[in-house]
PDB file of all heavy atoms in Angstrom:
ATOM      1  N   ALA A 132     -18.950  -9.692 -28.048  1.00 95.00           N
ATOM      2  CA  ALA A 132     -19.553  -9.786 -26.715  1.00 95.00           C
ATOM      3  C   ALA A 132     -18.619  -9.266 -25.633  1.00 95.00           C
ATOM      4  O   ALA A 132     -19.071  -8.792 -24.587  1.00 95.00           O
ATOM      5  CB  ALA A 132     -19.939 -11.233 -26.418  1.00 95.00           C
ATOM      6  N   ARG A 133     -17.322  -9.342 -25.882  1.00 95.00           N
ATOM      7  CA  ARG A 133     -16.341  -8.935 -24.871  1.00 95.00           C
ATOM      8  C   ARG A 133     -15.604  -7.657 -25.243  1.00 95.00           C
ATOM      9  O   ARG A 133     -14.681  -7.246 -24.546  1.00 95.00           O
ATOM     10  CB  ARG A 133     -15.346 -10.075 -24.637  1.00 95.00           C
ATOM     11  CG  ARG A 133     -15.998 -11.235 -23.895  1.00 95.00           C
ATOM     12  CD  ARG A 133     -15.264 -12.525 -24.114  1.00 95.00           C
ATOM     13  NE  ARG A 133     -15.930 -13.637 -23.444  1.00 95.00           N
ATOM     14  CZ  ARG A 133     -16.975 -14.294 -23.908  1.00 95.00           C
ATOM     15  NH1 ARG A 133     -17.529 -13.945 -25.055  1.00 95.00           N
ATOM     16  NH2 ARG A 133     -17.515 -15.291 -23.243  1.00 95.00           N
ATOM     17  N   ASP A 134     -15.959  -7.050 -26.367  1.00 96.00           N
ATOM     18  CA  ASP A 134     -15.324  -5.829 -26.855  1.00 96.00           C
ATOM     19  C   ASP A 134     -13.808  -6.002 -26.967  1.00 96.00           C
ATOM     20  O   ASP A 134     -13.031  -5.215 -26.438  1.00 96.00           O
ATOM     21  CB  ASP A 134     -15.680  -4.637 -25.964  1.00 96.00           C
ATOM     22  CG  ASP A 134     -15.343  -3.301 -26.635  1.00 96.00           C
ATOM     23  OD1 ASP A 134     -15.325  -3.255 -27.883  1.00 96.00           O
ATOM     24  OD2 ASP A 134     -15.075  -2.327 -25.906  1.00 96.00           O
ATOM     25  N   LEU A 135     -13.407  -7.074 -27.651  1.00 96.00           N
ATOM     26  CA  LEU A 135     -11.994  -7.382 -27.849  1.00 96.00           C
ATOM     27  C   LEU A 135     -11.635  -7.271 -29.322  1.00 96.00           C
ATOM     28  O   LEU A 135     -12.502  -7.374 -30.193  1.00 96.00           O
ATOM     29  CB  LEU A 135     -11.685  -8.812 -27.379  1.00 96.00           C
ATOM     30  CG  LEU A 135     -11.903  -9.120 -25.908  1.00 96.00           C
ATOM     31  CD1 LEU A 135     -11.777 -10.623 -25.653  1.00 96.00           C
ATOM     32  CD2 LEU A 135     -10.918  -8.346 -25.047  1.00 96.00           C
ATOM     33  N   THR A 136     -10.361  -7.109 -29.594  1.00 95.00           N
ATOM     34  CA  THR A 136      -9.894  -7.147 -30.974  1.00 95.00           C
ATOM     35  C   THR A 136      -9.620  -8.599 -31.352  1.00 95.00           C
ATOM     36  O   THR A 136      -9.489  -9.469 -30.486  1.00 95.00           O
ATOM     37  CB  THR A 136      -8.588  -6.343 -31.145  1.00 95.00           C
ATOM     38  OG1 THR A 136      -7.549  -6.989 -30.397  1.00 95.00           O
ATOM     39  CG2 THR A 136      -8.762  -4.896 -30.684  1.00 95.00           C
ATOM     40  N   VAL A 137      -9.498  -8.860 -32.631  1.00 96.00           N
ATOM     41  CA  VAL A 137      -9.152 -10.193 -33.095  1.00 96.00           C
ATOM     42  C   VAL A 137      -7.791 -10.584 -32.507  1.00 96.00           C
ATOM     43  O   VAL A 137      -7.596 -11.723 -32.060  1.00 96.00           O
ATOM     44  CB  VAL A 137      -9.129 -10.264 -34.644  1.00 96.00           C
ATOM     45  CG1 VAL A 137      -8.569 -11.593 -35.123  1.00 96.00           C
ATOM     46  CG2 VAL A 137     -10.510 -10.034 -35.206  1.00 96.00           C
ATOM     47  N   THR A 138      -6.871  -9.647 -32.472  1.00 95.00           N
ATOM     48  CA  THR A 138      -5.537  -9.912 -31.920  1.00 95.00           C
ATOM     49  C   THR A 138      -5.619 -10.373 -30.472  1.00 95.00           C
ATOM     50  O   THR A 138      -4.969 -11.351 -30.079  1.00 95.00           O
ATOM     51  CB  THR A 138      -4.649  -8.653 -32.027  1.00 95.00           C
ATOM     52  OG1 THR A 138      -4.552  -8.295 -33.411  1.00 95.00           O
ATOM     53  CG2 THR A 138      -3.275  -8.877 -31.442  1.00 95.00           C
ATOM     54  N   GLU A 139      -6.436  -9.712 -29.671  1.00 96.00           N
ATOM     55  CA  GLU A 139      -6.579 -10.102 -28.264  1.00 96.00           C
ATOM     56  C   GLU A 139      -7.161 -11.509 -28.128  1.00 96.00           C
ATOM     57  O   GLU A 139      -6.721 -12.291 -27.281  1.00 96.00           O
ATOM     58  CB  GLU A 139      -7.451  -9.081 -27.520  1.00 96.00           C
ATOM     59  CG  GLU A 139      -6.778  -7.726 -27.360  1.00 96.00           C
ATOM     60  CD  GLU A 139      -7.727  -6.626 -26.907  1.00 96.00           C
ATOM     61  OE1 GLU A 139      -8.917  -6.642 -27.297  1.00 96.00           O
ATOM     62  OE2 GLU A 139      -7.267  -5.727 -26.173  1.00 96.00           O
ATOM     63  N   VAL A 140      -8.120 -11.849 -28.976  1.00 97.00           N
ATOM     64  CA  VAL A 140      -8.728 -13.181 -28.916  1.00 97.00           C
ATOM     65  C   VAL A 140      -7.726 -14.240 -29.379  1.00 97.00           C
ATOM     66  O   VAL A 140      -7.616 -15.307 -28.767  1.00 97.00           O
ATOM     67  CB  VAL A 140     -10.029 -13.257 -29.745  1.00 97.00           C
ATOM     68  CG1 VAL A 140     -10.615 -14.666 -29.709  1.00 97.00           C
ATOM     69  CG2 VAL A 140     -11.046 -12.245 -29.238  1.00 97.00           C
ATOM     70  N   VAL A 141      -6.968 -13.952 -30.423  1.00 97.00           N
ATOM     71  CA  VAL A 141      -5.956 -14.899 -30.907  1.00 97.00           C
ATOM     72  C   VAL A 141      -4.946 -15.187 -29.800  1.00 97.00           C
ATOM     73  O   VAL A 141      -4.603 -16.345 -29.548  1.00 97.00           O
ATOM     74  CB  VAL A 141      -5.252 -14.371 -32.182  1.00 97.00           C
ATOM     75  CG1 VAL A 141      -3.985 -15.169 -32.488  1.00 97.00           C
ATOM     76  CG2 VAL A 141      -6.206 -14.407 -33.367  1.00 97.00           C
ATOM     77  N   ILE A 142      -4.495 -14.158 -29.111  1.00 96.00           N
ATOM     78  CA  ILE A 142      -3.520 -14.351 -28.034  1.00 96.00           C
ATOM     79  C   ILE A 142      -4.132 -15.167 -26.895  1.00 96.00           C
ATOM     80  O   ILE A 142      -3.486 -16.071 -26.350  1.00 96.00           O
ATOM     81  CB  ILE A 142      -2.961 -12.996 -27.560  1.00 96.00           C
ATOM     82  CG1 ILE A 142      -2.045 -12.430 -28.664  1.00 96.00           C
ATOM     83  CG2 ILE A 142      -2.215 -13.132 -26.243  1.00 96.00           C
ATOM     84  CD1 ILE A 142      -1.589 -11.009 -28.435  1.00 96.00           C
ATOM     85  N   GLU A 143      -5.391 -14.899 -26.544  1.00 96.00           N
ATOM     86  CA  GLU A 143      -6.079 -15.709 -25.521  1.00 96.00           C
ATOM     87  C   GLU A 143      -6.128 -17.180 -25.936  1.00 96.00           C
ATOM     88  O   GLU A 143      -5.874 -18.074 -25.129  1.00 96.00           O
ATOM     89  CB  GLU A 143      -7.520 -15.225 -25.310  1.00 96.00           C
ATOM     90  CG  GLU A 143      -7.689 -14.053 -24.385  1.00 96.00           C
ATOM     91  CD  GLU A 143      -9.167 -13.807 -24.107  1.00 96.00           C
ATOM     92  OE1 GLU A 143      -9.813 -14.655 -23.454  1.00 96.00           O
ATOM     93  OE2 GLU A 143      -9.676 -12.760 -24.564  1.00 96.00           O
ATOM     94  N   ALA A 144      -6.481 -17.415 -27.197  1.00 96.00           N
ATOM     95  CA  ALA A 144      -6.615 -18.788 -27.696  1.00 96.00           C
ATOM     96  C   ALA A 144      -5.261 -19.502 -27.698  1.00 96.00           C
ATOM     97  O   ALA A 144      -5.172 -20.671 -27.303  1.00 96.00           O
ATOM     98  CB  ALA A 144      -7.219 -18.779 -29.097  1.00 96.00           C
ATOM     99  N   LEU A 145      -4.217 -18.820 -28.132  1.00 96.00           N
ATOM    100  CA  LEU A 145      -2.888 -19.430 -28.137  1.00 96.00           C
ATOM    101  C   LEU A 145      -2.406 -19.706 -26.715  1.00 96.00           C
ATOM    102  O   LEU A 145      -1.798 -20.744 -26.455  1.00 96.00           O
ATOM    103  CB  LEU A 145      -1.898 -18.554 -28.897  1.00 96.00           C
ATOM    104  CG  LEU A 145      -2.120 -18.502 -30.417  1.00 96.00           C
ATOM    105  CD1 LEU A 145      -1.284 -17.400 -31.038  1.00 96.00           C
ATOM    106  CD2 LEU A 145      -1.817 -19.848 -31.061  1.00 96.00           C
ATOM    107  N   ASP A 146      -2.688 -18.786 -25.798  1.00 96.00           N
ATOM    108  CA  ASP A 146      -2.349 -19.024 -24.390  1.00 96.00           C
ATOM    109  C   ASP A 146      -3.104 -20.237 -23.849  1.00 96.00           C
ATOM    110  O   ASP A 146      -2.574 -21.003 -23.055  1.00 96.00           O
ATOM    111  CB  ASP A 146      -2.677 -17.799 -23.523  1.00 96.00           C
ATOM    112  CG  ASP A 146      -1.630 -16.703 -23.614  1.00 96.00           C
ATOM    113  OD1 ASP A 146      -0.491 -16.981 -24.041  1.00 96.00           O
ATOM    114  OD2 ASP A 146      -1.959 -15.553 -23.247  1.00 96.00           O
ATOM    115  N   HIS A 147      -4.333 -20.415 -24.308  1.00 94.00           N
ATOM    116  CA  HIS A 147      -5.182 -21.527 -23.859  1.00 94.00           C
ATOM    117  C   HIS A 147      -4.560 -22.885 -24.179  1.00 94.00           C
ATOM    118  O   HIS A 147      -4.664 -23.824 -23.389  1.00 94.00           O
ATOM    119  CB  HIS A 147      -6.569 -21.396 -24.488  1.00 94.00           C
ATOM    120  CG  HIS A 147      -7.515 -22.498 -24.167  1.00 94.00           C
ATOM    121  ND1 HIS A 147      -8.137 -22.613 -22.953  1.00 94.00           N
ATOM    122  CD2 HIS A 147      -7.935 -23.546 -24.913  1.00 94.00           C
ATOM    123  CE1 HIS A 147      -8.910 -23.692 -22.956  1.00 94.00           C
ATOM    124  NE2 HIS A 147      -8.809 -24.274 -24.135  1.00 94.00           N
ATOM    125  N   ILE A 148      -3.919 -23.010 -25.332  1.00 93.00           N
ATOM    126  CA  ILE A 148      -3.346 -24.304 -25.729  1.00 93.00           C
ATOM    127  C   ILE A 148      -1.838 -24.380 -25.525  1.00 93.00           C
ATOM    128  O   ILE A 148      -1.217 -25.403 -25.832  1.00 93.00           O
ATOM    129  CB  ILE A 148      -3.684 -24.659 -27.192  1.00 93.00           C
ATOM    130  CG1 ILE A 148      -2.978 -23.720 -28.167  1.00 93.00           C
ATOM    131  CG2 ILE A 148      -5.167 -24.729 -27.427  1.00 93.00           C
ATOM    132  CD1 ILE A 148      -2.863 -24.278 -29.566  1.00 93.00           C
ATOM    133  N   ALA A 149      -1.221 -23.323 -25.011  1.00 93.00           N
ATOM    134  CA  ALA A 149       0.246 -23.233 -24.940  1.00 93.00           C
ATOM    135  C   ALA A 149       0.913 -24.415 -24.255  1.00 93.00           C
ATOM    136  O   ALA A 149       1.981 -24.855 -24.682  1.00 93.00           O
ATOM    137  CB  ALA A 149       0.663 -21.932 -24.261  1.00 93.00           C
TER     138      ALA A 149
END
Side-chain angles (χ1 to χ4, degrees):
R133 289 158 182 81
D134 195 26
L135 298 171
T136 66
V137 172
T138 301
E139 291 167 326
V140 178
V141 166
I142 289 171
E143 277 188 67
L145 290 168
D146 281 341
H147 177 76
I148 68 160

